[in-house]
Amino acid sequence: MRILVSGGTGFLGSAVVAELRARGHDVVSLSRSGSRPAPASETGGRVEHLRADLSDELPVSRMGADAYLLCAAYVGADARTAEAVNLHGAERLVRAAQAYRAPVVALSTLSVYGSGPHRGQAEGALEPHPESVASRTRAAAEEIVRGSGGAVLRTALTTGAGDRWVVPTLAGIATRLGAPDELRTVRSSVIAAPALARAAAGAAIRLAEDPAGALRARTFHLAHPDPVNLIGLCERLTGVAVPHVSSEAFAQGVEGLGLSPHQTRLLTEDHWYDSTAIWTALDESPGPTIDADPDAVAWYRERLAER
């Protein structure tokens, strides 16, 4: 097959491109940066790079594919940019896919549910309650994709080589403030980038093969089925022990970090979801609960050494 991946040079998109190539599929990588050399060890399907921006008109005549994966997203706070990229970008990509009568699979985010606590809810059990402009526009994009018959994968916090936000941010907070005992009982949904790539690639292939099948117009949670404690995750992937502090000291420290209320609750309250449906539908394995891949571990330790 020939599959187009928007955001194909980003953290998530590059993992998906590598997975598709490993399965022998050709890839059109759509990104603002254009071409990026593939690792020398990569083999499999061919990759064609297209430079384009979802916030602008797309080169539809060069975008023919059997399926489309929406991996690009804007996660900042600027409302105009969020609408241009997340909402109108999804509209443009869906129109391009429709021109070739091909399905779309979109990576969204579990953050569309807003603040918890959330404990084990399956798809359909919670109504979206986005608290940021990025989440609001991504929730709106979901409706566009489902309306076209496509599938939406609401992704969890994602770890792996190339992650510059999840574990580095956690490590910075935890090593600076420490963690009280109760923080080590909080559980969250996470997913490693290789597992995310397997699911995203599998969904695109399945939907291209069977557009009217079980994935049509569906929303899935994309996370490892077993939730983890973020402090333990941080320690496992960075090798840095997080010091114990009192609850009072931690609360005072958090107040001085300037985190949003939602960010604070992500750290201090349960946010985990029933994520078995996508793995069952695809007959794919989610892999280990914490993927301490040597490349990921090396990546995180290098980032910490730069601080």
Side-chain angles (χ1 to χ4, degrees), residues 36-193:
R36 188 177 76 175
S41 61
E42 255 188 40
T43 58
R46 297 171 297 175
V47 59
E48 174 188 350
H49 292 276
L50 284 181
R51 177 173 292 180
D53 192 326
L54 288 179
S55 66
D56 203 348
E57 293 305 312
L58 299 177
V60 177
S61 63
R62 299 175 60 194
M63 291 173 56
D66 299 299
Y68 292 70
L69 266 160
L70 178 57
C71 297
Y74 172 75
V75 298
D78 183 77
R80 181 174 296 181
T81 304
E83 284 201 3
V85 176
N86 297 341
L87 178 56
H88 300 309
E91 291 173 336
R92 293 185 183 95
L93 194 74
V94 166
R95 285 198 299 269
Q98 290 173 332
Y100 294 97
R101 298 184 179 182
V104 176
V105 173
L107 296 187
S108 186
T109 172
L110 289 168
S111 290
V112 299
Y113 291 127
S115 297
H118 298 145
R119 299 183 177 101
Q121 288 90 343
E123 296 87 344
L126 293 171
E127 289 295 325
H129 192 268
E131 298 178 3
S132 69
V133 66
S135 293
R136 285 195 296 273
T137 50
R138 295 181 79 179
E142 290 184 1
E143 296 184 18
I144 295 167
V145 171
R146 285 191 299 267
S148 74
V152 171
L153 308 180
R154 288 177 177 159
T155 61
L157 299 173
T158 306
T159 65
D163 164 33
R164 295 182 179 274
W165 182 77
V166 177
V167 173
T169 301
L170 281 171
I173 294 173
T175 54
R176 177 178 174 183
L177 300 184
D181 289 339
E182 62 269 23
L183 204 63
R184 293 183 178 274
T185 67
V186 175
R187 294 191 294 170
S188 302
S189 283
V190 299
I191 188 167

Side-chain angles (χ1 to χ4, degrees), residues 11-16 19 107 110 153-163 166-167 188-201 222-228 230 233 236-237 275 278-279 285-297 300:
F11 170 44
L12 302 183
S14 60
V16 174
E19 177 67 23
L107 296 187
L110 289 168
L153 308 180
R154 288 177 177 159
T155 61
L157 299 173
T158 306
T159 65
D163 164 33
V166 177
V167 173
S188 302
S189 283
V190 299
I191 188 167
L196 178 149
R198 289 195 300 275
L222 182 49
H224 195 283
D226 299 324
V228 303
L230 294 181
L233 173 76
R236 177 80 179 275
L237 293 179
S275 306
I278 186 62
W279 305 109
S285 168
T289 305
I290 296 178
D291 188 355
D293 173 76
D295 289 341
V297 172
Y300 288 129

